[in-house]
Amino acid sequence: MSTWGRSYPYVGPPELKAGVGPGGGGRRIRSAADFAAWAAEQSAAEAAEPFTFVVDGEGVLRLAPRRSEHVACAGGEPVLSAGEIGFVPGAAGRWTVGDVSNHSTGYCPDAGSWPAVAHALDQAGLVPPSGFTHEVVFRRCPDCRERTIVREDDFVCVFCGGALPPVWNVSPAGGSGR
C-alpha cells in the first residue's frame, strides 16, 4: 500500500506489456505549468476527446492520447489508478476535469483508487470532481479466471455465469492484491 492506496499491477495481455520500450510512458504532469505546456501541445481534435491517464507509483499524473494503452502510459510499471480523463477550460485559466473514469482493462483499478487520482490532479493544478464521474467495477471470475466488468450491480460472470465476489480480486494471481 502506498500513501494513496493500493498499487495495481498490469493484468492485461502480456504482449501489450512486452511492447513497452524503455523510457516509455505518458507525459508526467507534476504541476499546473506542466499541464499548461502539455495542453498547449494538443490539437483541437485531441482536446475534444478524453485522454488515457495513469497515476504512477510516485503519485504523479501521466497523460497519453486516448487510443494509447494504459500499460504504455505507465511505462510498464504498476499504477495507483488508471482510466480515461477529459478536461475543460475553467475560470481564471485554471483547467477543470470534466469527466474521469477508472476504465482500464489492463490494470482494472478499483473505484477506491480515487484518492490517488484526486491527489495527482491537485498536484497538477487541476480542479477535480468529487470522485470518478463514471465508476467501473472490475472482478476476476473465480470459476473461469476471466476479468470482467460488473454492470448494474449484477455480480455474475458474463463468460461462464459464475458468481463474482463482492470485493476487488483482479490481481495477477486472482487474490485481493492487498
Side-chain angles (χ1 to χ4, degrees):
M1 288 282 253
S2 78
T3 303
W4 303 284
R6 169 189 296 135
S7 177
Y8 297 90
Y10 180 70
V11 295
E15 61 274 13
L16 293 180
K17 185 174 182 180
V20 175
R27 180 81 158 271
R28 294 179 74 133
I29 309 294
R30 296 179 182 269
S31 67
D34 287 350
F35 183 81
W38 174 84
E41 296 169 4
Q42 307 310 306
S43 70
E46 288 172 320
E49 289 192 336
F51 293 89
T52 293
F53 86 88
V54 300
V55 176
D56 68 21
E58 296 175 10
V60 176
L61 178 68
R62 289 187 182 200
L63 298 172
R66 180 180 198 179
R67 287 162 186 78
S68 301
E69 294 292 339
H70 288 96
V71 69
C73 186
E77 297 297 320
V79 300
L80 301 177
S81 191
E84 293 187 344
I85 191 166
F87 304 101
V88 293
R94 189 162 184 216
W95 287 83
T96 299
V97 175
D99 294 300
V100 60
S101 76
N102 62 317
H103 194 179
S104 167
T105 56
Y107 285 100
C108 301
D110 190 46
S113 67
W114 174 252
V117 177
H119 171 79
L121 294 173
D122 185 56
Q123 294 297 108
L126 298 163
V127 178
S130 59
F132 288 118
T133 56
H134 176 73
E135 284 186 3
V136 179
V137 177
F138 295 100
R139 296 293 185 269
R140 185 180 299 277
C141 179
D143 295 335
C144 71
R145 310 298 304 143
E146 290 289 337
R147 291 171 290 130
T148 189
I149 293 175
V150 175
R151 301 196 190 277
E152 299 176 4
D153 289 327
D154 188 14
F155 285 78
V156 175
C157 178
V158 297
F159 299 102
C160 74
L164 299 172
V167 296
W168 185 89
N169 70 332
V170 194
S171 67
S176 69
R178 293 178 194 251

